[in-house]
Amino acid sequence: MFEASATQDPAIAIDAIERLGAREAFAKDAEIYGQAEPVEHVYRVIRGAVRTTRLLSDGRRQVGEFYFPGDVFGLETGPDHRYSAEALSDCEVLSVKRSALRGDVAEEALRGMIWDATVRELDRTQEHVLMLGRKTACERVASFLLDIVGRTNGLGNLPMSRQDMADYLGLTIETVSRMLSQLQADSVVEFDALRHFRIRNQQAITRLAA
Amino acid sequence: MFEASATQDPAIAIDAIERLGAREAFAKDAEIYGQAEPVEHVYRVIRGAVRTTRLLSDGRRQVGEFYFPGDVFGLETGPDHRYSAEALSDCEVLSVKRSALRGDVAEEALRGMIWDATVRELDRTQEHVLMLGRKTACERVASFLLDIVGRTNGLGNLPMSRQDMADYLGLTIETVSRMLSQLQADSVVEFDALRHFRIRNQQAITRLAA
DNA sequence: CGAGGGATTGATACGTCTCAAAGCATGTGG
DNA sequence: CCACATGCTTTGAGACGTATCAATCCCTCG
């Protein structure tokens, strides 16, 4: 259960979800599932990007995570979703009914994939806790940019708005904007468009990410 | 794998870990495992309490979680620990070698228990993210007290220091202390000892926890 | 090309941190 | 059993970082 999935060919799991999964398309900002809805499916991003969000009663919003092609989401654990999931851009996802996973020994590979995804999710969530608990605004933004680059093959594309970034980083939109401006002024990164940047000083951004 | 564990008798899993696990005792502040050590065991608290912590390079500390009797910890996911675990008080834990879990169909119940514990861990970590990202100091402290009461059968015992609380809540020790004083002044809680309190106004603390 | 909404920048307010001192538990030795 | 020493906790004053409010900018899309 633990080490097995690390050593097996990931293509087997991909094959399993592709055989069982239904392809679905969502328009930008469409809800994929809602907070407090029952957990019925597991999803995998094919194209585009997805965010999960959670609302406090007075409207404060926290973004749980961003998901890119290949990422699995919807792994939440209770009977009901605690986060809702929305399309960041027009996107396509594969979805598999959780009930399809029960008792079928042939889908062991798919289970392994879900275990791996859960483990990765926990890992990333723990990193998120460290960031929100102990990093400064500048460090959070730097960490975020570095993380995005690492997850998207070095392309500095930001499919999310500044508000989404702020709600992920536990900051306001103005603070995010100021930090981005500052990083650019310090020649750490360079934006050639609102949502596209490149790293100009790898060493500096790595140090700033703390 | 998903629903199965929810419907099965938890006593079976408890039995499995008790049969396989080795009982170990740790003195207050002793390290159970260290950051960057290989992940070899899974643990369950028998008596006392445990904290997991993570250090930034410059010494800033984040407490990941507190664990009480019955809780499973050490579930971290990569080959190496990203958090270290320490005894909050003199305590006893059961530990099971992860390698003992591999390929043994008879230990399915134990696997189910680990799945459940991982899921609970993810759940709590997501709650932690929301708290650190979007709650005020007062709300964090109120949430924390409420959580502790919920996890320890209504006993308002705090086995951790103010510093541990601060590092869990992403605050300083002084701010935690001020918020506790304020909650007490407002008759929301009452401390009869440094580490023992009771809730005086359930409605108020629930509202403050946001 | 013009309208609209997101993003940036600026000035100020506020919450939390920092530094410092005093208070209070806990444990030790007389 | 008391007195003291030690370390943790509380309280206070001031500094700092981020939020808030407001105006302008500038992309994007129609």
Side-chain angles (χ1 to χ4, degrees), chain B:
Chain B
M1 181 177 185
F2 302 104
E3 284 81 359
S5 45
T7 54
Q8 90 191 357
D9 184 352
I12 296 173
I14 289 169
D15 181 60
I17 194 173
E18 292 200 336
R19 252 185 312 111
L20 287 173
R23 218 181 191 91
E24 288 184 78
F26 293 90
K28 180 168 154 64
D29 292 323
E31 180 176 283
I32 299 172
Y33 55 77
Q35 207 168 332
E37 284 181 15
V39 172
E40 285 173 344
H41 298 84
V42 179
Y43 306 83
R44 187 155 157 278
V45 180
I46 303 294
R47 191 176 52 78
V50 171
R51 69 166 175 259
T52 52
T53 62
R54 192 163 166 197
L55 258 45
L56 243 34
S57 51
D58 63 354
R60 280 175 286 180
R61 192 180 79 144
Q62 178 66 45
V63 169
E65 198 53 77
F66 297 109
Y67 300 92
F68 297 100
D71 293 340
V72 175
F73 67 98
L75 296 157
E76 300 152 61
T77 56
D80 294 335
H81 283 293
R82 323 194 70 184
Y83 284 77
S84 64
E86 296 132 28
L88 265 180
S89 54
D90 291 349
C91 70
E92 266 180 284
V93 305
L94 279 174
S95 73
V96 190
K97 262 206 147 67
R98 290 210 158 200
S99 56
L101 297 166
R102 245 184 319 218
D104 186 346
V105 175
E107 301 310 341
E108 194 58 50
L110 189 51
R111 294 183 187 207
M113 187 201 67
I114 290 188
W115 171 256
D116 285 356
T118 303
V119 147
R120 217 172 304 128
E121 183 86 1
L122 180 54
D123 222 49
R124 295 188 54 78
T125 308
Q126 287 175 338
E127 201 66 38
H128 203 174
V129 163
L130 178 65
M131 180 165 82
L132 296 176
R134 287 300 179 217
K135 292 192 187 177
T136 65
C138 184
E139 290 169 344
R140 293 183 204 186
V141 171
S143 303
F144 180 75
L145 295 180
L146 209 46
D147 184 47
I148 289 292
V149 167
R151 292 176 73 191
T152 55
N153 305 318
L155 292 88
N157 260 321
L158 299 172
M160 70 292 291
S161 68
R162 298 293 193 262
Q163 186 65 62
D164 288 329
M165 288 177 54
D167 289 342
Y168 178 74
L169 298 172
L171 299 169
T172 59
I173 184 175
E174 294 97 332
T175 298
V176 169
S177 182
R178 278 184 245 273
M179 296 303 126
L180 289 173
S181 298
Q182 187 190 310
L183 288 173
Q184 178 147 281
D186 297 345
S187 300
V188 177
V189 298
E190 181 180 356
F191 277 79
D192 61 297
L194 262 177
R195 299 191 173 191
H196 189 267
F197 69 97
R198 66 182 188 85
I199 293 176
R200 288 188 61 185
N201 188 335
Q202 180 75 34
Q203 196 185 343
I205 200 168
T206 304
R207 184 174 40 73
L208 283 173

Side-chain angles (χ1 to χ4, degrees), chain A residues 125-186:
Chain A
T125 307
Q126 287 175 338
E127 200 66 38
H128 203 175
V129 162
L130 177 65
M131 181 165 81
L132 296 175
R134 287 300 180 217
K135 292 192 188 179
T136 65
C138 184
E139 289 168 344
R140 292 183 204 188
V141 171
S143 303
F144 180 74
L145 295 180
L146 209 47
D147 183 47
I148 289 291
V149 167
R151 292 176 73 190
T152 55
N153 305 318
L155 292 87
N157 260 321
L158 300 172
M160 69 293 289
S161 69
R162 297 292 193 263
Q163 186 65 63
D164 288 329
M165 287 176 55
D167 289 342
Y168 178 75
L169 299 173
L171 300 169
T172 60
I173 184 174
E174 294 96 332
T175 299
V176 169
S177 184
R178 278 184 244 274
M179 295 303 127
L180 290 173
S181 298
Q182 188 190 310
L183 288 173
Q184 178 147 282
D186 297 346

